[in-house]
Amino acid sequence: MTRESSASPLIFGGDALSPRAALPVLPPLALYIHIPWCVRKCPYCDFNSHTASPVLPEEEYVDALLADLDQDLHAVYGRELSSIFFGGGTPSLFSADSLGRLLKGVEQRIPFASDIEITLEANPGTFEQDKFVAYRKLGINRLSIGIQSFQQEKLEALGRIHNGDEAVRAAGMARQAGFDNFNLDLMHGLPNQSLDDALTDLRTAIALKPTHLSWYQLTLEPNTVFWNQPPTLPEDDTLWDIQEAGQALLAEHGYVQYEVSAYALPGRPARHNLNYWSFGDFIGIGAGAHGKLSHPDGRIIRTWKTRLPKDYLNPAKSFKAGEKALGNDEMPFEFLMNALRLTEGVESRLYPERTGMTLESLAEGRREAEQSGLLQVEPSRLVATERGQLFLNDLLQKFLT
């Protein structure tokens, strides 16, 4: 397919044109692939997802994804992919044939690391044993299964298309299909949820023995049904009790909290997400996908792609909706809003390595954050205190200029 090579003009953030040190080494490179269709849009979801038609344009969309990737190749020549993440939407709506053609096309363009992690998001209502066996044979080696709850009343309130039994079966089918590494997505703070309800969900998930759990509180986001028609959510005291008891239960079963809402068995954190949180690079392809790429001369460019699937599939429109060069004044906040989500933070040396800026550029904000008890006084690391994790937005405000 043909595409316009032009895109929205480059937007320079702050003093982006000021000199910045060349990067001594480029960070790991990942690929995010957005597949924007779902069986049904959930009332809490603010992601770029759209209700699927009876027949999806799989062939056309794969063609578009590869053409989109071609336009980003000039910025990553000579590098290899450390991870790939299929997000959505519901990527498991696509056939194994379509995903196989896409993966083959990606590997022809960018070499895969020998130990590449390839994650596919899936929902229990889309599980078909033969399809998931075929996914595994393609080299997809990690699943992220969107459970949210095992309780019928809560699933109905969330607009989910599966029931609790299907959620339990999905985990078993994933293992039978050859996936020994999978995540379960689980929410808490659901409409009318009690402490016992939340812990029952968590115990059910733990019993399925996932290698990773994403366990996070439901929040009401703008441009969602829940934002306009808010459900009755638990009181703050109940939310706090759920958080404390849930974290204790996860720790008891060997799940280590390594990020604000991510828990993993030893050696099983999500490598794709770790790269994102440590200011690694990622290409974003697909409707509404975002990317971030570093250049040896110190430039760091964020990109975003055309959001609506019909526009993304229109040959007369550009894939790229816009791009922005990060300015020196933005860099502390941009780096730390990701790194400080990690419970152990990052080594201080990573800041100059990934941004081309000196640690001195953090000095004032760092001093204020340490004095406020939000950042640990630890020269070799950038890591939030327990209080800083709870009040992460307050902590990050110290680094806004």
Side-chain angles (χ1 to χ4, degrees):
M1 81 191 299
T2 60
R3 286 281 179 166
E4 299 173 1
S5 59
S6 60
S8 299
L10 183 65
I11 301 169
F12 289 100
D15 58 347
L17 294 177
S18 299
R20 186 181 296 151
L23 300 181
V25 61
L26 293 175
L29 178 66
L31 173 65
Y32 175 76
I33 302 171
H34 192 75
I35 296 179
W37 292 284
C38 284
V39 173
R40 183 170 64 198
K41 180 82 171 179
C42 296
Y44 58 85
C45 178
D46 68 335
F47 294 138
N48 184 31
S49 59
H50 306 266
T51 301
S53 59
V55 178
L56 288 174
E58 293 189 31
E59 184 174 352
E60 297 91 336
Y61 196 70
V62 169
D63 288 342
L65 288 167
L66 293 173
D68 186 0
L69 180 59
D70 283 337
Q71 294 189 3
D72 286 333
L73 289 181
H74 69 280
V76 297
Y77 181 75
R79 301 171 71 178
E80 66 177 20
L81 287 175
S82 62
S83 66
I84 298 174
F85 194 101
F86 289 92
T90 307
S92 54
L93 291 176
F94 269 36
S95 68
D97 285 345
S98 291
L99 296 187
R101 184 165 74 87
L102 176 56
L103 282 172
K104 182 177 180 180
V106 172
E107 190 170 17
Q108 287 171 343
R109 290 160 170 82
I110 311 177
F112 289 5
S114 59
D115 61 346
I116 190 170
E117 175 193 270
I118 306 178
T119 301
L120 178 81
E121 285 188 338
N123 286 327
T126 65
F127 259 80
E128 301 170 25
Q129 188 66 32
D130 290 345
K131 181 193 280 190
F132 281 82
V133 169
Y135 287 157
R136 185 67 189 90
K137 289 179 179 177
L138 296 177
I140 296 170
N141 51 24
R142 186 175 181 272
L143 290 179
S144 182
I145 307 172
I147 302 290
Q148 314 315 349
S149 177
F150 294 93
Q151 298 167 39
Q152 191 59 31
E153 176 191 353
K154 302 298 186 289
L155 289 168
E156 289 175 2
L158 294 173
R160 304 296 289 174
I161 64 170
H162 66 272
N163 60 42
D165 289 342
E166 287 175 319
V168 170
R169 285 200 299 272
M173 289 169 66
R175 193 170 273 111
Q176 290 170 18
F179 291 94
D180 62 356
N181 189 14
F182 66 91
N183 168 67
L184 299 183
D185 243 37
L186 201 65
M187 284 184 177
H188 60 86
L190 305 181
N192 300 307
Q193 188 178 50
S194 67
L195 172 61
D196 285 345
D197 288 339
L199 292 182
T200 296
D201 266 351
L202 199 51
R203 289 191 184 98
T204 304
I206 291 170
L208 297 173
K209 298 185 176 359
T211 50
H212 190 284
L213 272 162
S214 297
W215 188 64
Y216 51 95
Q217 183 179 322
L218 169 65
T219 56
L220 305 186
E221 302 291 350
N223 303 314
T224 64
V225 173
F226 275 4
W227 181 264
N228 295 312
Q229 303 170 31
T232 302
L233 300 181
E235 299 290 337
D236 287 346
D237 286 348
T238 301
L239 292 173
W240 182 253
D241 289 344
I242 290 172
Q243 185 72 32
E244 284 198 316
Q247 287 180 325
L249 182 63
L250 286 160
E252 177 187 335
H253 286 85
Y255 290 90
V256 177
Q257 184 180 15
Y258 69 96
E259 188 265 343
V260 170
S261 58
Y263 304 77
L265 295 177
R268 292 293 197 167
R271 285 166 45 197
H272 184 89
N273 290 340
L274 275 178
N275 182 56
Y276 180 84
W277 290 319
S278 58
F279 214 56
D281 279 354
F282 54 99
I283 305 169
I285 60 172
H290 286 240
K292 174 245 170 189
L293 290 174
S294 305
H295 298 260
D297 61 6
R299 288 177 301 128
I300 297 175
I301 311 294
R302 289 201 181 277
T303 60
W304 53 97
K305 302 298 174 64
T306 298
R307 182 176 175 83
L308 294 177
K310 67 179 181 64
D311 292 336
Y312 187 81
L313 288 169
N314 184 347
K317 293 183 179 290
S318 174
F319 292 118
K320 190 180 291 182
E323 59 182 26
K324 179 179 186 293
L326 295 182
N328 294 358
D329 56 342
E330 300 171 291
M331 203 62 70
F333 183 85
E334 286 279 339
F335 180 88
L336 292 171
M337 73 173 177
N338 293 303
L340 293 181
R341 287 182 62 91
L342 296 169
T343 55
E344 295 185 0
V346 297
E347 293 184 39
S348 298
R349 64 170 178 78
L350 205 63
Y351 180 72
E353 284 183 11
R354 299 278 163 95
T355 68
M357 297 180 65
T358 66
L359 280 171
E360 282 300 309
S361 63
L362 296 179
E364 183 177 349
R366 195 172 185 176
R367 183 166 53 251
E368 289 182 13
E370 289 171 352
Q371 290 172 352
S372 301
L374 300 173
L375 195 70
Q376 290 187 23
V377 182
E378 193 171 340
S380 66
R381 296 194 72 78
L382 293 162
V383 55
T385 61
E386 286 188 23
R387 184 166 179 267
Q389 287 279 337
L390 291 173
F391 299 100
L392 195 56
N393 287 339
D394 293 338
L395 170 52
L396 292 172
Q397 290 295 316
K398 308 292 185 185
F399 297 94
L400 279 174
T401 56

